[in-house]
Amino acid sequence: MQNQHLVDFLNQQIANISVLHVKLQRYHWYAKGPYGYVIEQYTEDLHKQLDDMKKSLGGRVLSIGGRPIAVMSKFLQEATIKEAEADDEDYEVVKTMRHDYSQLAQEIKITGIPLAKRQEDDATAGLLIDILGKLEYESIRLTKYLIDADQK
């Protein structure tokens, strides 16, 4: 397949979003600290956003002739995002979320968009640019939370 590298990249992002989704669910259930309730509400919104991203990426993989991965073992094998390992306090949860969102944004910016453009796949490039904007926006929101928490 001519665009196999692009399909592989998109599948890696599906895996990353799937792992992040489970991580956010854990944080939603186990958030501790003075901002635990805020994290619980915020992660609920992020779940919906991640679901939309994953559906869009999967649809794009299908439309360019690939097969989106849809098995947990493959998600864990392909993801560059690490699973949550502990029930952290609210500040640590937000730091981890910011790291994950920033990492996904960088992967899309440095690898995904240029790869789609080299393949002359404007639709995939456009989708990745849209996702990049959402990831960067959430990363900024999380950074602001950390700055505010540091000032208290």
Side-chain angles (χ1 to χ4, degrees):
M1 178 184 294
Q2 174 184 335
N3 57 0
Q4 188 61 49
H5 291 299
L6 185 56
V7 168
D8 291 345
F9 177 81
L10 296 174
N11 271 326
Q12 183 181 62
Q13 297 315 302
I14 291 170
N16 281 332
I17 289 170
S18 298
V19 170
L20 185 55
H21 193 277
V22 172
K23 241 173 141 165
L24 292 179
Q25 184 63 59
R26 180 183 180 100
Y27 295 153
H28 179 84
W29 286 336
Y30 298 112
K32 296 185 274 186
Y35 295 101
Y37 179 74
V38 173
I39 289 172
E40 182 179 323
Q41 297 304 307
Y42 183 54
T43 55
E44 204 166 293
D45 294 338
L46 293 178
H47 271 127
K48 293 173 189 163
Q49 186 181 67
L50 291 175
D51 282 341
D52 290 343
M53 287 179 194
K54 188 163 60 169
K55 287 175 188 172
S56 296
L57 288 167
R60 194 68 205 137
V61 169
L62 288 169
S63 70
I64 62 174
R67 292 179 50 93
I69 60 175
V71 178
M72 188 60 68
S73 60
K74 287 291 276 182
F75 294 154
L76 293 172
Q77 180 182 343
E78 299 297 326
T80 58
I81 297 290
K82 294 180 180 161
E83 281 187 283
E85 296 178 0
D87 301 330
D88 297 315
E89 292 294 325
D90 51 9
Y91 186 83
E92 290 302 315
V93 165
V94 174
K95 269 179 61 174
T96 301
M97 287 168 49
R98 182 188 62 178
H99 174 269
D100 290 347
Y101 271 76
S102 296
Q103 178 182 328
L104 291 179
Q106 287 303 306
E107 289 177 9
I108 287 172
K109 185 186 294 184
I110 293 169
T111 305
I113 294 169
L115 185 57
K117 287 182 176 181
R118 277 195 305 275
Q119 294 287 325
E120 298 180 1
D121 185 342
D122 295 335
T124 299
L127 172 63
L128 292 174
I129 289 167
D130 180 57
I131 291 172
L132 173 63
K134 291 173 183 172
L135 293 170
E136 288 179 334
Y137 175 76
E138 295 306 336
S139 183
I140 289 167
R141 288 180 69 191
L142 292 162
T143 299
K144 285 180 182 178
Y145 168 87
L146 294 171
I147 290 168
D148 289 346
D150 283 341
Q151 293 175 352
K152 291 182 181 181

